[in-house]
C-alpha cells in the first residue's frame, strides 16, 4: 500500500530520506557546474570573462526557468515519469561535459538543464504529498530535505575543485556524471517507497505511466533540448528574453488569479508578491558562481597554512553551511511550533534577504582591509558565505513550502515551476550585475586594478538588498492582515 490513512503524520515520513538522497546526488551536478563552469570556460576553453559570465547567467536562468515546463509535464502526464526521464537526461549531459569543446559544453548544459527541470519540481511535489496541506511540520520537513541535499553539493564542490586542479576538468566532470547515474538508479529502483498522505478529502497520488504519457513527455523533451542549445549559444539574447518571460508570466498569473475565489486569489497574490521580493535575494545568490568566483580567483589570498584552497572548492562553503545549520534551523522551527510560536513568512523572508545583504557588505569590508598587494583575506569570503547560506536556509525551504500552502492543489506542479522561474529571472539579472564588476581596462587578474570595481558593486548590491529586507519586515503586519483575510 502506497499511502497511510491518518490525519497525523510524523515530522519526517517515509520517503523523505530516499528523496533527499536522490536530490543530493542530483545536486552534485549543479554544484560542480557552479564551482567550475566559469573557471572551465575561461581557463580550458579560453572564453573571455565577460562571455563566461553571460553563459553562466544563461545557464542559471534556464536551469531554473525550465522547471516551469518540467512542472507542467509532471502535472499533465506524471510526476514519476518526469523524474525517471530527467535522470536519463542529466546523466547524458554529465558525460557530454567531459569533451573539451564549446559545442559539447553547450549540449551538455542543455541536457542537464532539461533533466533537472523534470527532476526538481516534480520530486518536491512528491515530497510535498507526504504531508497534509495544513501540516505544520511541512516546512521543517522541507528544511531537512534541503539541508541533506546540500551534503551532495558540499562534497561535490570541495572535491571537484581539487580534482580539477590536480588532474583535469574532464576528470571532475566524469566523476560527476557517475554520481548522476546513481541518482537515476536510486529513483528507478526505489520510487515505490514514497508513502503518500491521504485522507477522506485528499486522494492518494497514483502513478500514471503509460504509452500516451511517455510519448508526449519524450516529444516535449525532443523539442526542448535543441532550443536550449540555441538559447545557450545566444546567451545574451537569452538573458534578455528571460527577463521578458518573467514579466509576461507575472502579468498572466495576476490575470489567472482574478478568476479564482477571493480567498484563493489573496493567497495567490501573496505567493506572487513574495516571489518578486525573493528576486533581491536570488540575484545576489546567483553571483556566487560567476563574479564571486573571479573575485576569489584573482583578488583573494586563498592560502591557509601551507595549503592553497582551489577557487572551485570555495563554492563548497555554501552547501556546507546549509548542511551544518539546516538541521539546527529545522529543529528550532519544530521546537517553536510545539510551543505555538510561529515565525511568519514575511519575517523569514526578511531574515533571509538581510543576511544576503550583510554577506556582500562583508566582502566590501574585506576589500577595504586588503593588503598592500590588493589581496583580501580568505576569512572575509568564509564569513560572507556564512551569511549568504544563513539567508538561504530561511528563503529557499520557505519558498518551496509556500507553494503547497498558498497555491491551489491542481496547480502545485506548475507553481513550483513558477517559483523556480523567478530564480531563473534572478539568474539572468545577475549576469548584468556580474558584468558591472569587470574593470574598463579588462585587467581582471590584477587585484589593484579591479578592487575598486568590486568594492563599489558589493557595497551597492549589499546595501540595496539590506534595505529591501528591512522594508519587508516593516510591512509584515500588512502581509499578516492579507493572510488573515484569506481564511
Amino acid at each position: 500500500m502506497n499511502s497511510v490513512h491518518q490525519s497525523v503524520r510524523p515530522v519526517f515520513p517515509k520517503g523523505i530520506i530516499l528523496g533527499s538522497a536522490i536530490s543530493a546526488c542530483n545536486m552534485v551536478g549543479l554544484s560542480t557546474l557552479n564551482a567550475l563552469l566559469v573557471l572551465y570556460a575561461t581557463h580550458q576553453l579560453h572564453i573571455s570573462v565577460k562571455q563566461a559570465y553571460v553563459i553562466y547567467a544563461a545557464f542559471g536562468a534556464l536551469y531554473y526557468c525550465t522547471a516551469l515546463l518540467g512542472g507542467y509535464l509532471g502535472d499533465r502526464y506524471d510526476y514519476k515519469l518526469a523524474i525517471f526521464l530527467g535522470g536519463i537526461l542529466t546523466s547524458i549531459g554529465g558525460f557530454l561535459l567531459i569533451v573539451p569543446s564549446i559545442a559539447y559544453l553547450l549540449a551538455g548544459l542543455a541536457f542537464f538543464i532539461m533533466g533537472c527541470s523534470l527532476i526538481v519540481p516534480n520530486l518536491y511535489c512528491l515530497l510535498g504529498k507526504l504531508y497534509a496541506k495544513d501540516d505544520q511540520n511541512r516546512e521543517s520537513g522541507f528544511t531537512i530535505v534541503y539541508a541533506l541535499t546540500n551534503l551532495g553539493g558540499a562534497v561535490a564542490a570541495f572535491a571537484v575543485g581539487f580534482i580539477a586542479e590536480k588532474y583535469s576538468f574532464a576528470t571532475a566532470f566524469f566523476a560527476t556524471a557517475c554520481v548522476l547515474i546513481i541518482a537515476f538508479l536510486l529513483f528507478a529502483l526505489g520510487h515505490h517507497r514514497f508513502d503518500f498522505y491521504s485522507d477522506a478529502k485528499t486522494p492518494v497520488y497514483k502513478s500514471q505511466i503509460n504509452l500516451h504519457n511517455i510519448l508526449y513527455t519524450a516529444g516535449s523533451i525532443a523539442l526542448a533540448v535543441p532550443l536550449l542549445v540555441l538559447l545557450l549559444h545566444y546567451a545574451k539574447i537569452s538573458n534578455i528574453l528571460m527577463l521578458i518571460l518573467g514579466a509576461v508570466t507575472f502579468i498572466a498569473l495576476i490575470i489567472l488569479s482574478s478568476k479564482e475565489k477571493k480567498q484563493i486569489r489573496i493567497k495567490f497574490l501573496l505567493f506572487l508578491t513574495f516571489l518578486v521580493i525573493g528576486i533581491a535575494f536570488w540575484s545576489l545568490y546567483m553571483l556566487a558562481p560567476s563574479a564571486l568566483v573571479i573575485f576569489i580567483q584573482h583578488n583573494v589570498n586563498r592560502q591557509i597554512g601551507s595549503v592553497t584552497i582551489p577557487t572551485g572548492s570555495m563554492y563548497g562553503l555554501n552547501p556546507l553551511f546549509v548542511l551544518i545549520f539546516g538541521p539546527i534551523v529545522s529543529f528550532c522551527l519544530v521546537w517553536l511550533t510545539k510551543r505555538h510560536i510561529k515565525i511568519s513568512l514575511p519575517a523569514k523572508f526578511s531574515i533571509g534577504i538581510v543576511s544576503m545583504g550583510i554577506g556582500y557588505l562583508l566582502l566590501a569590508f574585506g576589500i577595504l582591509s586588503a593588503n598592500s598587494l590588493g589581496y583580501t583575506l580568505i576569512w572575509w569570503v568564509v564569513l560572507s558565505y556564512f551569511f549568504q547560506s544563513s539567508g538561504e536556509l530561511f528563503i529557499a525551504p520557505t519558498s518551496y513550502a509556500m507553494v503547497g500552502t498558498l497555491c491551489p492543489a491542481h496547480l502545485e506542479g506548475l507553481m513550483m515551476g513558477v517559483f523556480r522561474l523567478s530564480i531563473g529571472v534572478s539568474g539572468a539579472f545577475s549576469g548584468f550585475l556580474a558584468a558591472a564588476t569587470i574593470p574598463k581596462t579588462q585587467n581582471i587578474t590584477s587585484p589593484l586594478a579591479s578592487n575598486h570595481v568590486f568594492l563599489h558593486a558589493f557595497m551597492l548590491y549589499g546595501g540595496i538588498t539590506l534595505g529591501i529586507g528591512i522594508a519587508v519586515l516593516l510591512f509584515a503586519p500588512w502581509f499578516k492582515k492579507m493572510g488573515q483575510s484569506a481564511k
Side-chain angles (χ1 to χ4, degrees):
M1 193 73 176
N2 227 23
S3 65
V4 290
H5 299 272
Q6 57 185 45
S7 58
V8 179
R9 296 283 279 168
V11 177
F12 307 120
K14 184 179 176 182
I16 285 288
I17 299 302
L18 174 63
S20 297
I22 294 168
S23 186
C25 290
N26 197 60
M27 183 66 174
V28 169
L30 178 60
S31 189
T32 296
L33 289 169
N34 283 341
L36 298 182
L37 180 54
V38 169
L39 294 174
Y40 174 65
T42 54
H43 288 65
Q44 179 82 43
L45 303 182
H46 306 294
I47 297 173
S48 69
V49 171
K50 185 175 183 179
Q51 184 60 21
Y53 284 167
V54 172
I55 291 175
Y56 178 79
F59 163 72
L62 292 170
Y63 172 85
Y64 286 102
C65 87
T66 49
L68 188 63
L69 172 61
Y72 169 77
L73 292 174
D75 276 341
R76 182 71 176 83
Y77 299 112
D78 186 70
Y79 295 130
K80 288 188 175 182
L81 173 62
I83 297 169
F84 182 84
L85 294 177
I88 296 174
L89 293 175
T90 54
S91 300
I92 294 173
F95 282 107
L96 288 174
L97 291 171
I98 297 172
V99 183
S101 158
I102 294 178
Y104 276 89
L105 170 65
L106 299 183
L109 293 177
F111 273 92
F112 182 78
I113 289 169
M114 190 61 210
C116 289
S117 78
L118 293 167
I119 294 172
V120 179
N122 294 298
L123 181 59
Y124 272 93
C125 281
L126 288 186
L127 294 175
K129 292 182 181 299
L130 300 177
Y131 294 92
K133 291 184 71 66
D134 59 351
D135 192 334
Q136 293 186 333
N137 289 320
R138 174 187 284 265
E139 285 191 18
S140 298
F142 273 94
T143 299
I144 201 68
V145 171
Y146 198 80
L148 291 176
T149 296
N150 278 272
L151 173 62
V155 173
F158 284 120
V160 298
F162 283 96
I163 292 173
E165 187 169 284
K166 186 174 182 180
Y167 299 102
S168 66
F169 285 106
T171 305
F173 289 138
F174 175 78
T176 299
C178 292
V179 176
L180 292 173
I181 290 179
I182 292 174
F184 166 73
L185 293 175
L186 282 174
F187 184 78
L189 300 176
H191 65 88
H192 60 281
R193 294 185 58 81
F194 289 99
D195 193 12
F196 301 113
Y197 175 88
S198 69
D199 58 19
K201 297 180 180 179
T202 308
V204 68
Y205 161 74
K206 294 182 180 179
S207 184
Q208 299 292 327
I209 300 179
N210 53 52
L211 182 60
H212 173 273
N213 289 349
I214 292 174
L215 290 176
Y216 273 89
T217 306
S220 300
I221 292 170
L223 292 173
V225 171
L227 178 60
L228 287 171
V229 173
L230 185 65
L231 289 171
L232 288 166
H233 183 73
Y234 297 100
K236 188 172 182 178
I237 296 175
S238 173
N239 290 332
I240 295 173
L241 291 175
M242 189 62 56
L243 297 178
I244 296 173
L245 174 62
V248 171
T249 302
F250 181 76
I251 294 171
L253 289 174
I254 290 178
I255 296 173
L256 177 64
S257 70
S258 67
K259 300 178 181 179
E260 300 286 348
K261 296 179 180 179
K262 180 181 177 181
Q263 290 82 358
I264 296 177
R265 183 171 67 252
I266 292 174
K267 286 185 176 182
F268 210 82
L269 291 176
L270 278 173
F271 172 73
L272 294 178
T273 299
F274 282 104
L275 285 191
V276 174
I277 291 171
I279 290 175
F281 175 89
W282 294 112
S283 294
L284 295 194
Y285 179 87
M286 298 289 282
L287 277 180
S290 56
L292 194 50
V293 164
I294 295 299
F295 173 72
I296 294 170
Q297 174 75 5
H298 301 299
N299 297 61
V300 174
N301 179 2
R302 293 176 281 114
Q303 194 83 15
I304 298 180
S306 60
V307 179
T308 299
I309 308 299
T311 299
S313 295
M314 291 295 294
Y315 182 78
L317 290 170
N318 171 253
L320 178 63
F321 283 135
V322 173
L323 174 65
I324 293 172
F325 294 104
I328 297 174
V329 171
S330 180
F331 173 81
C332 290
L333 291 175
V334 173
W335 187 86
L336 290 171
T337 298
K338 289 180 179 179
R339 285 154 182 78
H340 306 289
I341 301 172
K342 186 175 181 180
I343 302 176
S344 68
L345 189 147
K348 289 177 181 177
F349 265 75
S350 177
I351 293 170
I353 295 172
V354 166
S355 295
M356 178 60 77
I358 291 173
Y360 274 84
L361 289 176
L362 286 170
L363 290 174
F365 293 143
I367 294 173
L368 290 173
S369 63
N371 63 23
S372 59
L373 297 177
Y375 290 102
T376 299
L377 286 176
I378 192 174
W379 302 113
W380 286 103
V381 178
V382 174
L383 195 58
S384 174
Y385 266 121
F386 169 77
F387 277 93
Q388 292 180 48
S389 304
S390 298
E392 183 181 353
L393 279 170
F394 282 92
I395 293 285
T398 302
S399 298
Y400 279 117
M402 77 177 182
V403 172
T405 56
L406 296 179
C407 298
H410 64 285
L411 293 176
E412 281 188 27
L414 182 61
M415 291 305 104
M416 192 70 76
V418 169
F419 160 58
R420 291 176 68 82
L421 171 62
S422 72
I423 305 179
V425 171
S426 303
F429 186 58
S430 76
F432 297 100
L433 298 180
T437 65
I438 300 176
K440 292 182 180 179
T441 62
Q442 297 292 316
N443 188 10
I444 199 75
T445 62
S446 170
L448 293 176
S450 60
N451 266 348
H452 71 285
V453 181
F454 281 114
L455 174 63
H456 178 266
F458 292 160
M459 285 289 286
L460 180 64
Y461 301 161
I464 292 175
T465 304
L466 183 65
I468 292 174
I470 294 173
V472 172
L473 187 61
L474 293 176
F475 279 94
W478 182 76
F479 289 123
K480 183 178 179 181
K481 186 178 179 180
M482 280 191 66
Q484 289 174 341
S485 67
K487 293 182 180 179

